Amino acid sequence: MGKNVRKTEGLFTLLLILPLLFALWFPQPASISHILFIGNSITYHPAAVEQYNWHGAWGMNASAAHLDYDHQVWAGVAARQGDVPEMGIIRAVSLEDMLTTSDDIMAYEPDLLVVQWGEAAPYDMPQEEWDTVYRKIKKAAGATAVVAVGMWGTHEIRDKEDKLRIAALNAGILYVPIRDLHAPRTAEMCAGLHLGVCNHPDDSEMAALAGRILAAIYGQSTYLPLVHGKGDGTVPPK
Protein backbone atom coordinates (compact mmCIF):
# COMPACT_ATOMS: atom_id res chain seq x y z
CA MET A 1 0.00 0.00 0.00
CA GLY A 2 2.87 2.34 0.82
CA LYS A 3 4.37 1.83 -2.62
CA ASN A 4 1.05 2.70 -4.26
CA VAL A 5 0.81 5.89 -2.24
CA ARG A 6 4.29 6.95 -3.32
CA LYS A 7 3.46 6.25 -6.96
CA THR A 8 0.29 8.32 -6.71
CA GLU A 9 2.16 11.20 -5.11
CA GLY A 10 4.80 10.99 -7.82
CA LEU A 11 2.18 11.11 -10.54
CA PHE A 12 0.48 14.08 -8.91
CA THR A 13 3.81 15.88 -8.63
CA LEU A 14 4.36 15.25 -12.34
CA LEU A 15 0.94 16.75 -13.10
CA LEU A 16 1.88 19.84 -11.10
CA ILE A 17 5.13 20.43 -12.99
CA LEU A 18 3.70 19.65 -16.44
CA PRO A 19 2.58 23.27 -16.93
CA LEU A 20 6.13 24.46 -16.30
CA LEU A 21 7.52 21.98 -18.84
CA PHE A 22 4.77 22.91 -21.31
CA ALA A 23 5.65 26.59 -20.84
CA LEU A 24 9.04 26.03 -22.47
CA TRP A 25 7.31 26.26 -25.86
CA PHE A 26 4.12 28.04 -24.78
CA PRO A 27 3.68 31.22 -26.86
CA GLN A 28 4.39 34.08 -24.46
CA PRO A 29 3.34 37.41 -26.01
CA ALA A 30 5.87 40.19 -25.56
CA SER A 31 3.07 42.58 -24.66
CA ILE A 32 -0.49 41.69 -23.66
CA SER A 33 -3.05 44.32 -24.58
CA HIS A 34 -6.20 42.20 -24.34
CA ILE A 35 -6.94 39.37 -21.88
CA LEU A 36 -10.10 37.33 -22.30
CA PHE A 37 -11.44 35.03 -19.58
CA ILE A 38 -14.03 32.36 -20.36
CA GLY A 39 -15.40 30.63 -17.30
CA ASN A 40 -18.18 29.58 -15.01
CA SER A 41 -19.11 31.01 -11.60
CA ILE A 42 -15.51 30.80 -10.35
CA THR A 43 -14.66 33.38 -13.01
CA TYR A 44 -17.87 35.42 -12.84
CA HIS A 45 -21.31 35.11 -11.30
CA PRO A 46 -23.91 37.89 -11.39
CA ALA A 47 -25.77 38.80 -8.22
CA ALA A 48 -28.14 36.03 -7.11
CA VAL A 49 -29.53 37.26 -3.81
CA GLU A 50 -32.67 35.14 -3.61
CA GLN A 51 -31.02 31.92 -4.73
CA TYR A 52 -27.61 32.12 -3.05
CA ASN A 53 -27.61 35.33 -1.00
CA TRP A 54 -24.82 36.35 -3.37
CA HIS A 55 -24.55 40.11 -3.86
CA GLY A 56 -21.39 40.25 -5.95
CA ALA A 57 -20.85 40.42 -9.70
CA TRP A 58 -17.45 38.75 -9.97
CA GLY A 59 -15.82 35.39 -9.18
CA MET A 60 -18.10 33.74 -6.64
CA ASN A 61 -16.95 33.70 -2.99
CA ALA A 62 -14.29 36.37 -3.47
CA SER A 63 -15.05 39.24 -1.11
CA ALA A 64 -14.50 41.87 -3.83
CA ALA A 65 -14.00 42.01 -7.60
CA HIS A 66 -10.28 42.75 -7.40
CA LEU A 67 -9.80 39.65 -5.23
CA ASP A 68 -11.15 37.08 -7.66
CA TYR A 69 -8.58 35.13 -9.64
CA ASP A 70 -9.21 36.77 -13.02
CA HIS A 71 -8.73 40.32 -11.72
CA GLN A 72 -5.55 39.17 -9.95
CA VAL A 73 -4.18 37.62 -13.15
CA TRP A 74 -5.04 40.86 -14.95
CA ALA A 75 -3.27 42.88 -12.25
CA GLY A 76 -0.25 40.56 -12.30
CA VAL A 77 0.17 40.90 -16.07
CA ALA A 78 -0.18 44.70 -15.81
CA ALA A 79 2.40 44.92 -13.04
CA ARG A 80 4.86 42.72 -14.91
CA GLN A 81 4.72 44.57 -18.23
CA GLY A 82 3.98 48.09 -16.95
CA ASP A 83 0.90 48.51 -19.16
CA VAL A 84 -2.71 47.83 -18.17
CA PRO A 85 -4.36 45.42 -20.61
CA GLU A 86 -8.03 45.47 -21.49
CA MET A 87 -9.92 42.66 -19.77
CA GLY A 88 -12.97 40.80 -21.06
CA ILE A 89 -15.08 38.07 -19.47
CA ILE A 90 -17.43 35.55 -21.09
CA ARG A 91 -19.59 33.55 -18.70
CA ALA A 92 -19.86 29.94 -19.87
CA VAL A 93 -21.50 27.21 -17.81
CA SER A 94 -23.01 24.64 -20.15
CA LEU A 95 -21.46 22.66 -22.99
CA GLU A 96 -23.56 24.71 -25.40
CA ASP A 97 -22.06 27.89 -23.92
CA MET A 98 -18.56 26.62 -24.60
CA LEU A 99 -19.33 25.52 -28.15
CA THR A 100 -20.65 28.98 -29.07
CA THR A 101 -17.71 31.10 -27.89
CA SER A 102 -15.67 31.02 -31.13
CA ASP A 103 -17.15 34.17 -32.65
CA ASP A 104 -16.65 36.09 -29.40
CA ILE A 105 -13.03 34.98 -29.15
CA MET A 106 -12.26 36.03 -32.72
CA ALA A 107 -14.08 39.35 -32.28
CA TYR A 108 -12.20 40.21 -29.08
CA GLU A 109 -8.78 39.24 -30.51
CA PRO A 110 -7.11 38.54 -27.16
CA ASP A 111 -3.36 38.21 -26.68
CA LEU A 112 -4.05 35.87 -23.76
CA LEU A 113 -7.07 33.60 -23.35
CA VAL A 114 -7.79 31.91 -20.01
CA VAL A 115 -10.45 29.17 -20.01
CA GLN A 116 -11.87 27.95 -16.69
CA TRP A 117 -14.64 25.43 -17.26
CA GLY A 118 -15.74 21.87 -16.62
CA GLU A 119 -17.04 21.45 -13.09
CA ALA A 120 -20.66 21.43 -14.34
CA ALA A 121 -19.97 19.23 -17.36
CA PRO A 122 -21.69 15.81 -17.33
CA TYR A 123 -19.64 13.09 -15.69
CA ASP A 124 -20.32 10.78 -18.63
CA MET A 125 -19.25 13.32 -21.26
CA PRO A 126 -16.93 11.35 -23.58
CA GLN A 127 -13.36 12.34 -24.25
CA GLU A 128 -14.26 13.17 -27.85
CA GLU A 129 -16.58 15.96 -26.72
CA TRP A 130 -13.94 17.40 -24.38
CA ASP A 131 -11.51 17.35 -27.30
CA THR A 132 -14.03 19.13 -29.52
CA VAL A 133 -14.50 21.94 -26.99
CA TYR A 134 -10.82 22.73 -26.58
CA ARG A 135 -9.83 22.23 -30.22
CA LYS A 136 -12.59 24.62 -31.22
CA ILE A 137 -11.34 27.18 -28.72
CA LYS A 138 -7.76 26.79 -29.90
CA LYS A 139 -8.82 27.16 -33.53
CA ALA A 140 -10.70 30.38 -32.74
CA ALA A 141 -7.74 31.70 -30.74
CA GLY A 142 -5.24 31.07 -33.51
CA ALA A 143 -1.74 32.03 -32.40
CA THR A 144 -3.05 33.50 -29.14
CA ALA A 145 -1.63 32.02 -25.94
CA VAL A 146 -4.36 29.87 -24.34
CA VAL A 147 -4.46 28.60 -20.75
CA ALA A 148 -6.87 25.87 -19.62
CA VAL A 149 -7.52 26.02 -15.88
CA GLY A 150 -8.08 22.66 -14.19
CA MET A 151 -10.98 21.54 -12.02
CA TRP A 152 -11.92 22.99 -8.66
CA GLY A 153 -13.22 20.52 -6.10
CA THR A 154 -12.60 17.20 -4.40
CA HIS A 155 -11.31 13.87 -5.68
CA GLU A 156 -14.82 13.12 -7.01
CA ILE A 157 -14.10 15.21 -10.10
CA ARG A 158 -10.84 13.42 -10.90
CA ASP A 159 -12.22 11.53 -13.92
CA LYS A 160 -13.57 14.74 -15.49
CA GLU A 161 -10.33 16.52 -14.66
CA ASP A 162 -8.33 13.87 -16.50
CA LYS A 163 -10.52 14.32 -19.59
CA LEU A 164 -10.05 18.09 -19.46
CA ARG A 165 -6.28 17.76 -19.09
CA ILE A 166 -6.03 15.35 -22.02
CA ALA A 167 -8.24 17.57 -24.19
CA ALA A 168 -6.14 20.64 -23.43
CA LEU A 169 -2.88 18.86 -24.19
CA ASN A 170 -4.34 17.35 -27.38
CA ALA A 171 -5.27 20.85 -28.53
CA GLY A 172 -1.85 22.29 -27.70
CA ILE A 173 -3.19 24.37 -24.80
CA LEU A 174 -1.30 25.03 -21.57
CA TYR A 175 -3.00 23.16 -18.73
CA VAL A 176 -2.84 24.48 -15.15
CA PRO A 177 -4.03 22.10 -12.39
CA ILE A 178 -5.71 23.69 -9.35
CA ARG A 179 -7.57 20.88 -7.57
CA ASP A 180 -4.86 20.57 -4.92
CA LEU A 181 -5.54 24.20 -3.91
CA HIS A 182 -9.03 23.26 -2.76
CA ALA A 183 -9.24 23.19 1.04
CA PRO A 184 -11.84 21.04 2.84
CA ARG A 185 -14.77 23.17 3.95
CA THR A 186 -15.47 23.60 7.66
CA ALA A 187 -18.48 25.06 9.44
CA GLU A 188 -16.40 28.14 10.27
CA MET A 189 -15.45 28.68 6.62
CA CYS A 190 -19.09 28.51 5.57
CA ALA A 191 -20.52 30.59 8.39
CA GLY A 192 -23.08 33.00 6.96
CA LEU A 193 -22.58 31.68 3.40
CA HIS A 194 -24.81 29.61 1.20
CA LEU A 195 -23.14 26.23 0.67
CA GLY A 196 -23.15 26.83 -3.09
CA VAL A 197 -21.10 30.00 -2.55
CA CYS A 198 -18.84 28.50 0.09
CA ASN A 199 -17.75 25.68 -2.23
CA HIS A 200 -16.08 28.26 -4.48
CA PRO A 201 -12.52 29.54 -3.88
CA ASP A 202 -12.24 32.08 -1.07
CA ASP A 203 -9.90 35.08 -1.19
CA SER A 204 -6.76 33.14 -0.28
CA GLU A 205 -7.58 30.33 -2.71
CA MET A 206 -8.33 32.84 -5.47
CA ALA A 207 -4.90 34.37 -4.85
CA ALA A 208 -3.23 30.96 -5.03
CA LEU A 209 -5.12 30.14 -8.21
CA ALA A 210 -4.05 33.41 -9.83
CA GLY A 211 -0.48 32.87 -8.74
CA ARG A 212 -0.39 29.45 -10.35
CA ILE A 213 -1.77 30.76 -13.65
CA LEU A 214 0.77 33.59 -13.71
CA ALA A 215 3.58 31.15 -12.91
CA ALA A 216 2.56 28.95 -15.82
CA ILE A 217 2.21 31.87 -18.23
CA TYR A 218 5.65 33.22 -17.45
CA GLY A 219 7.37 29.86 -16.98
CA GLN A 220 8.27 30.44 -13.34
CA SER A 221 8.20 27.95 -10.49
CA THR A 222 6.46 30.48 -8.25
CA TYR A 223 4.64 33.72 -8.83
CA LEU A 224 3.16 35.61 -5.89
CA PRO A 225 -0.16 37.37 -6.53
CA LEU A 226 0.23 41.12 -6.58
CA VAL A 227 -3.15 42.05 -5.14
CA HIS A 228 -3.64 41.61 -1.40
CA GLY A 229 -6.87 43.32 -0.52
CA LYS A 230 -5.84 46.84 -1.55
CA GLY A 231 -7.48 49.09 -4.11
CA ASP A 232 -10.80 48.68 -5.86
CA GLY A 233 -9.51 46.63 -8.78
CA THR A 234 -10.14 49.28 -11.43
CA VAL A 235 -6.43 49.98 -11.97
CA PRO A 236 -3.85 47.35 -10.97
CA PRO A 237 -1.06 48.55 -8.65
CA LYS A 238 2.26 49.44 -10.29
Side-chain angles (χ1 to χ4, degrees), residues 52-199:
Y52 297 118
N53 194 29
W54 169 248
H55 296 260
W58 51 78
M60 186 170 265
N61 203 19
S63 58
H66 68 284
L67 294 176
D68 68 14
Y69 88 88
D70 26 328
H71 281 84
Q72 293 205 55
V73 170
W74 171 64
V77 170
R80 180 183 177 96
Q81 66 184 21
D83 294 318
V84 180
E86 183 177 313
M87 173 180 168
I89 298 174
I90 298 174
R91 177 166 159 77
V93 178
S94 68
L95 175 60
E96 182 180 1
D97 291 339
M98 290 297 290
L99 292 174
T100 56
T101 59
S102 295
D103 289 345
D104 292 321
I105 294 171
M106 290 186 287
Y108 195 79
E109 296 182 336
D111 304 297
L112 174 64
L113 174 60
V114 179
V115 183
Q116 177 275 310
W117 180 80
E119 287 83 358
Y123 277 90
D124 60 352
M125 186 168 137
Q127 184 66 54
E128 292 76 14
E129 289 193 50
W130 287 94
D131 289 345
T132 297
V133 168
Y134 285 90
R135 282 178 174 150
K136 193 167 185 178
I137 287 173
K138 179 60 178 175
K139 182 178 180 180
T144 295
V146 184
V147 174
V149 180
M151 296 275 187
W152 180 259
T154 64
H155 66 280
E156 296 173 354
I157 63 168
R158 186 173 298 169
D159 289 344
K160 287 200 295 184
E161 181 183 44
D162 285 343
K163 292 177 182 178
L164 188 161
R165 175 179 54 82
I166 291 169
L169 295 176
N170 285 344
I173 294 174
L174 178 62
Y175 173 77
V176 179
I178 62 168
R179 183 168 55 84
D180 61 298
L181 300 177
H182 180 274
R185 269 36 188 165
T186 63
E188 290 76 15
M189 290 177 69
C190 294
L193 295 175
H194 186 284
L195 183 60
V197 176
C198 186
N199 282 328

Side-chain angles (χ1 to χ4, degrees), residues 42 69 149 152 178 181 201 204-214:
I42 295 175
Y69 88 88
V149 180
W152 180 259
I178 62 168
L181 300 177
S204 62
E205 292 166 333
M206 286 285 193
L209 200 164
R212 184 162 292 179
I213 293 172
L214 288 165

